[in-house]
């Protein structure tokens, strides 16, 4: 009987095959086709299966993305048996002698946030100059890191800004069970030279940025003042907790400011109330207007 456990991911095309022991330590590898498998006899063996599209190897698991020609329910056990048989026969997962790529040392540490569902993983290097948020794997075309993180079944949402990654988990998992795996994965991913964010692929074109600037110029004076206050005084504090806040609109008649919460702020049980009141107090003081109100919604 196979000792390998199979775990479905959020992406129905990907299944994770988890082994009882580590098969590699301190590294992660991704193979898109059989021609890339010079370092991995195991990956090469798996690509002989006609439905295998991508093989990802890390820590104590092998994640496989399949083509749509079969259903996982039909082949899951076959793959688990092949992996176990390969390892029992002494097959090499990675050829260590050939794996001599020089790595850039990366430090990653975890920080708690006001949102119990979100943990902030901070790196000792800049990951992006443009904040990006991903609700699912289909949105990750601009972030190789986010795309790979979504293969973990417990990851719900990802927010990346400056030198940190805010990860939102599903409620059925506990951080003490998964923090080490996520931290190690991010560290290895970056040390292997992979990009966290490909900024040129972020879906905000130069033309869009120009339109945003034109939009700002077309706003009334109060809206412009609100945006400047949020940028200068609110965003830095929110970023420290792994989140972000974005101006949405200002209704002059209702004297209502609408903002969007992202990252650790989104869905946080206390942040909506805390931020709403904190921003309200700040805006009332700085704009000298005691009647202004703030409405906060999750991104």
């Amino acid at each position: 009987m196979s000792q390998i456990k199979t775990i479905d991911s959020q992406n129905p095309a990907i299944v994770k095959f988890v082994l009882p022991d580590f098969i590699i330590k301190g590294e992660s590898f991704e193979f898109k086709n059989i021609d890339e498998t010079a370092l991995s006899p195991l990956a090469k063996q798996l690509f002989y299966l006609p439905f295998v599209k991508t093989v990802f190897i890390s820590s104590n698991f092998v994640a496989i993305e399949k083509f749509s020609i079969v259903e996982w329910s039909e082949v899951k056990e076959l793959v688990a048996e092949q992996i176990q048989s390969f390892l029992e026969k002494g097959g090499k997962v990675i050829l260590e002698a050939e794996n001599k790529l020089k790595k850039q040392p990366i430090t990653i540490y975890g920080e708690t946030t006001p949102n119990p569902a979100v943990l902030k993983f901070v790196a000792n290097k800049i990951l992006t100059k443009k904040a990006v948020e991903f609700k699912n794997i289909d949105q990750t075309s601009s972030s190789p890191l986010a795309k790979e993180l979504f293969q973990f079944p417990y990851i719900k949402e990802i927010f990346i800004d400056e030198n940190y990654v805010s990860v939102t988990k599903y409620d059925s998992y506990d951080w003490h069970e998964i923090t080490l795996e996520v931290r190690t994965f991010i560290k290895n991913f970056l040390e292997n030279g992979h990009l966290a964010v490909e900024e040129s692929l972020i879906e905000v074109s130069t033309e869009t940025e120009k339109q945003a600037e034109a939009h700002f110029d077309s706003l009334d004076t109060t809206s412009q003042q609100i945006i400047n206050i949020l940028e200068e005084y609110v965003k830095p504090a929110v970023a420290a907790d792994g989140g972000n806040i974005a101006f949405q609109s200002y209704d002059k008649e209702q004297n209502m400011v609408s903002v969007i919460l992202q990252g650790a702020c989104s869905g946080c049980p206390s942040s909506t109330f805390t931020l709403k009141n904190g921003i309200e107090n700040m805006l009332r003081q700085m704009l000298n207007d005691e009647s202004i109100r703030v409405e906060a919604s999750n991104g």
Side-chain angles (χ1 to χ4, degrees), residues 216 221-236 247 282-283 286:
F216 178 85
T221 303
T222 303
S223 293
Q224 292 180 347
Q225 289 175 323
I226 292 168
I227 291 172
N228 289 334
I229 291 170
L230 292 178
E231 290 288 333
E232 186 172 354
Y233 297 100
V234 180
K235 282 194 175 184
F247 173 82
M282 182 176 291
L283 292 177
M286 300 189 78

Side-chain angles (χ1 to χ4, degrees), residues 83-254:
I83 294 173
Q84 183 155 320
S85 175
F86 178 88
L87 297 174
E88 287 176 348
K89 291 176 181 177
K92 292 286 186 181
V93 177
I94 298 293
L95 299 177
E96 298 292 343
E98 296 183 31
N99 182 29
K100 297 296 183 183
L101 295 175
K102 187 176 180 181
K103 296 181 181 180
Q104 176 187 1
I106 300 291
T107 301
I108 302 289
Y109 66 90
E111 280 187 1
T112 56
T113 74
N115 188 342
V118 178
L119 205 61
K120 179 181 175 184
F121 294 89
V122 184
N124 62 336
K125 62 173 285 185
I126 295 296
L127 304 180
T128 180
K129 295 177 182 177
K130 298 178 181 179
V132 281
E133 184 175 41
F134 308 102
K135 299 290 189 180
N136 56 63
I137 196 170
D138 296 331
Q139 300 175 348
T140 59
S141 59
S142 63
S143 176
L145 174 59
K147 182 179 180 181
E148 298 303 331
L149 284 172
F150 271 119
Q151 293 186 12
F152 293 103
Y154 43 75
I155 290 183
K156 183 180 181 182
E157 296 175 13
I158 297 165
F159 178 79
I160 306 176
D161 192 13
E162 297 184 341
N163 67 329
Y164 67 87
V165 182
S166 286
V167 174
T168 305
K169 68 172 180 66
Y170 284 100
D171 292 339
S172 56
Y173 294 89
D174 292 323
W175 278 120
H176 69 85
E177 298 173 332
I178 61 179
T179 298
L180 178 60
E181 185 174 32
V182 176
R183 185 180 66 79
T184 302
F185 177 84
I186 295 174
K187 173 181 169 64
N188 293 337
F189 186 90
L190 297 174
E191 283 186 338
N192 283 321
H194 302 304
L195 287 176
V197 177
E198 179 55 73
E199 294 184 18
S200 64
L201 297 180
I202 296 176
E203 295 178 2
V204 178
S205 64
T206 303
E207 185 61 34
T208 303
E209 290 175 345
K210 288 180 180 177
Q211 290 174 359
E213 291 174 8
H215 175 65
F216 178 85
D217 292 337
S218 69
L219 293 172
D220 60 272
T221 303
T222 303
S223 293
Q224 292 180 347
Q225 289 175 323
I226 292 168
I227 291 172
N228 289 334
I229 291 170
L230 292 178
E231 290 288 333
E232 186 172 354
Y233 297 100
V234 180
K235 282 194 175 184
V238 171
D241 284 333
N244 188 44
I245 187 167
F247 173 82
Q248 187 174 31
S249 64
Y250 169 63
D251 186 328
K252 187 175 181 179
E253 290 185 7
Q254 301 290 328

